[in-house]
Amino acid sequence: GYEWADVAALGPDVAGRAVRVRGAAHAVRAVGRRVAFLVLRQGSSTVQCVVGGGGGGGGGGDAGVARFAAGLSRESVVDVAGVVSLPREPVRGTTQQEVEIQVKKLYCISKATPNLPISVDDAARSEEDVVKAKAAGEQLVHVGQDKRLDFRVIDLRTPANQAIFRVQCEIENIFRQVLLSEGFVGIHTPKLIGGSSEGGAAVFKLDYNGQPACLAQSPQLHKQMAICGGFERVFEVGPVFRAEDSNTHRHLCEFVGLDMEMAIKDHYSEVCDVVDRLFVAMFDHLNKNCAKELEAINRQYPFKPLKYLPKTLRIEYDEGIRMLKEAGVHVEAMGDLNTESEKKLGELVHTKYDTDFYMLCRYPSAVRPFYTMPCSDDPRYSNSFDVFVRGEEIISGAQRVHVPEVLARQAEERGIDVGSIAAYVDAFRYGAPPHGGFGVGLERVVMLFCGLGNIRKASLFPRDPRRLNP
Ligand code: 4AD
């Protein structure tokens, strides 16, 4: 009777137990003709299996099994049945160093091709490792990001990648949990829509049974219509499509949007308050409960822990512009900040306030989408905000116009065909409360919290202007 066991659960406390474990042949090494060492990997956990060697301290089984083990191609899926034992000294290069398995039986469940296009070890190497090895005169393979993405199913097996997608899952989970605890209802809005939701050219057009249509650039219009439908607070987690045409480190053509929308009583700062509670809770949670994952990511992609304040810093756009000008950065009056200025402002804020996470509020109306509410005291500005992590935008949010005439006028002023969004504008003719909300890109949060430097690393199978595969 061999009992199924997980590699991560193998420790000295189960020594002597007969176990059966399924995993990938991470590494195989023959010692002479009678013994083979097989490192078995499950997720991010690895354990050494000793095959052959006959009785004594060896694995038991016969030389035939050892030969079979030695011939296994890396990454093949195998079952080993054997006894957990305590090695004389900790096994180097495995996560379960305190134990090994003396193998009695070995089965190959799925044979991997012997000519793997990339190896997990090569893909798991950090740039630093490669630089160090080069300096020491060693030849190390460095697999570029494009090739890793081409063979993503192998690339995903590295400890850093296993960790990145657990962190991503936690972020999504906290988003839901915090909003549910604050009375929000999860909704799903259509992704096939008749007109562009954010304006601009970045929209995938398609033919909807003879009618022009497009893939939703955000749930914006329909999440607001849910508010018109009597839901006071809604959120959505779903795909967002942007026909981006430039290749950058932070733009995908499809990403996961975390959106919310809520009725507000007095002021759009009520929306900012939710951002504050949500993200401080999220960062606290990640630091507390994902320490192992963050460490695995840090080993391959070194990053500094994110600095954030218990109450998130809010500064006004004008103040941000002043800080940039004082630092000698040229910025257009009442213009949008480009990536470079945003990054620079992030550094200035970090130096002055000791935080990598802050909100910039009260943007000029001209640089915000048509549905944004202008400030009542000065309509050149708007009740809007962006949120930055390490000087890069992760959120944009605002109070929305709930007066249909103003909405139609603002759309027209921006060259949007009001006919294509008529049902949306009409939704506000039947009674609609003041409301606001925000949208976050999930992959951006992962990328910036973990300092990954490229959004493709935070997407399981990224879609960028050039990549539709795998
Ligand atoms: O700033 P965006 O375009 O705002 C909206 O979609 C609004 N409807 C949100 C709202 O409720 N006011 O997108 C929101 C967020 C950005 O802050 C960014 O994190 C992410 O979505 N994002 C992208 N992520 C990856 N690739 C892209 N091409 C992205 N474009 C935006």
Side-chain angles (χ1 to χ4, degrees):
Y2 296 97
E3 261 185 59
W4 283 107
D6 287 332
V7 173
L10 296 177
D13 53 317
V14 294
R17 208 138 332 135
V19 295
R20 183 167 178 161
V21 182
R22 179 169 296 172
H26 182 70
V28 185
R29 180 165 57 95
V31 178
R33 299 171 50 129
R34 306 179 61 86
V35 183
F37 291 99
L38 163 69
V39 175
L40 201 70
R41 188 190 71 241
Q42 215 176 51
S44 297
S45 306
T46 48
V47 66
Q48 170 159 280
C49 305
V50 186
V51 192
D62 56 36
V65 187
R67 253 199 318 279
F68 177 67
L72 283 171
S73 46
R74 289 184 114 185
E75 295 305 310
S76 291
V77 176
V78 298
D79 279 5
V80 303
V83 177
V84 179
S85 72
L86 303 173
R88 247 170 275 148
E89 49 191 68
V91 184
R92 288 206 314 200
T94 61
T95 60
Q96 311 309 108
Q97 306 194 336
E98 309 278 292
V99 289
E100 54 189 16
I101 299 176
Q102 303 294 333
V103 178
K104 306 287 183 197
K105 294 181 188 162
L106 178 63
Y107 309 88
C108 180
I109 305 294
S110 164
K111 190 168 174 295
T113 172
N115 313 308
L116 289 175
I118 62 174
S119 85
V120 174
D121 284 339
D122 290 345
R125 206 156 279 145
S126 71
E127 309 253 333
E128 265 181 18
D129 289 343
V130 178
V131 172
K132 268 192 217 152
K134 278 222 175 106
E138 280 173 58
Q139 284 291 319
L140 275 194
V141 180
H142 178 63
V143 191
Q145 179 166 279
D146 255 350
K147 189 161 184 194
R148 293 185 203 191
L149 292 177
D150 286 342
F151 301 103
R152 189 66 157 158
V153 295
I154 303 176
D155 180 45
L156 286 172
R157 300 173 192 177
T158 64
N161 279 336
Q162 293 283 308
I164 285 170
F165 292 98
R166 270 168 214 279
V167 167
Q168 185 185 81
C169 175
E170 290 296 316
I171 291 173
E172 177 180 337
N173 204 18
I174 291 287
F175 179 80
R176 279 180 212 280
Q177 272 181 22
V178 170
L179 293 184
L180 285 171
S181 78
E182 299 207 7
F184 284 75
V185 179
I187 58 166
H188 293 285
T189 61
K191 303 305 154 202
L192 287 166
I193 60 178
S196 97
S197 47
E198 296 295 321
V203 53
F204 286 108
K205 297 204 167 117
L206 52 92
D207 177 282
Y208 189 76
N209 298 330
Q211 270 187 71
C214 53
L215 288 176
Q217 291 164 298
S218 76
Q220 185 63 38
L221 309 187
H222 290 87
K223 70 177 178 177
Q224 285 187 255
M225 287 161 81
I227 299 290
C228 296
F231 296 93
E232 291 229 330
R233 306 181 139 207
V234 296
F235 73 87
E236 175 164 0
V237 177
V240 172
F241 303 94
R242 302 276 169 104
E244 303 287 353
D245 61 358
S246 61
N247 267 283
T248 76
H249 74 282
R250 62 191 196 127
H251 288 94
L252 293 169
C253 291
E254 178 177 348
F255 63 93
V256 178
L258 308 177
D259 268 80
M260 68 81 114
E261 199 69 24
M262 60 189 266
I264 56 183
K265 301 284 187 279
D266 298 311
H267 197 257
Y268 78 102
S269 59
E270 292 161 42
V271 180
C272 301
D273 293 341
V274 178
V275 171
D276 197 7
R277 288 194 291 273
L278 174 57
F279 279 82
V280 171
M282 184 186 291
F283 299 152
D284 283 349
H285 174 86
L286 293 176
N287 286 332
K288 189 158 159 247
N289 299 298
C290 298
K292 256 177 132 174
E293 282 78 10
L294 297 176
E295 196 190 308
I297 297 167
N298 220 325
R299 231 172 290 135
Q300 181 163 5
Y301 306 115
F303 67 94
K304 290 207 189 88
L306 187 81
K307 288 218 161 171
Y308 58 100
L309 304 169
K311 178 120 181 50
T312 305
L313 172 72
R314 297 176 197 182
I315 58 178
E316 290 197 353
Y317 165 90
D318 275 352
E319 166 67 7
I321 296 293
R322 204 161 30 237
M323 287 172 71
L324 282 169
K325 281 191 174 152
E326 269 172 29
V329 180
H330 172 78
V331 275
E332 204 112 339
M334 301 297 270
D336 214 355
L337 296 176
N338 61 25
T339 311
E340 223 174 294
S341 320
E342 286 178 351
K343 194 98 203 172
K344 181 72 193 165
L345 186 56
E347 287 164 19
L348 296 170
V349 168
H350 179 98
T351 310
K352 185 162 176 193
Y353 299 100
D354 200 28
T355 179
D356 298 317
F357 182 69
Y358 77 100
M359 301 184 202
L360 195 60
C361 306
R362 212 174 140 93
Y363 273 74
S365 296
V367 303
R368 302 304 282 197
F370 73 95
Y371 49 73
T372 310
M373 181 68 96
C375 292
S376 53
D377 62 338
D378 183 351
R380 290 175 308 152
Y381 291 89
S382 61
N383 287 349
S384 64
F385 62 92
D386 275 2
V387 181
F388 294 88
V389 173
R390 304 186 201 268
E392 296 194 51
E393 179 206 321
I394 57 157
I395 301 180
S396 75
Q399 182 180 353
R400 329 296 186 180
V401 174
H402 61 280
V403 182
E405 296 75 21
V406 180
L407 197 53
R409 194 188 65 228
Q410 291 196 175
E412 249 164 41
E413 282 167 4
R414 286 167 173 76
I416 293 168
D417 170 19
V418 179
S420 73
I421 53 166
Y424 164 72
V425 177
D426 284 346
F428 299 95
R429 299 189 199 281
Y430 317 125
H435 61 286
F438 64 81
V440 191
L442 176 61
E443 294 86 349
R444 286 239 181 126
V445 180
V446 176
M447 165 179 84
L448 289 160
F449 185 80
C450 301
L452 297 177
N454 193 308
I455 198 163
R456 292 160 186 79
K457 292 189 170 76
S459 173
L460 200 64
F461 295 104
R463 295 288 178 257
D464 69 20
R466 278 193 291 236
R467 182 176 288 280
L468 191 58
N469 262 311

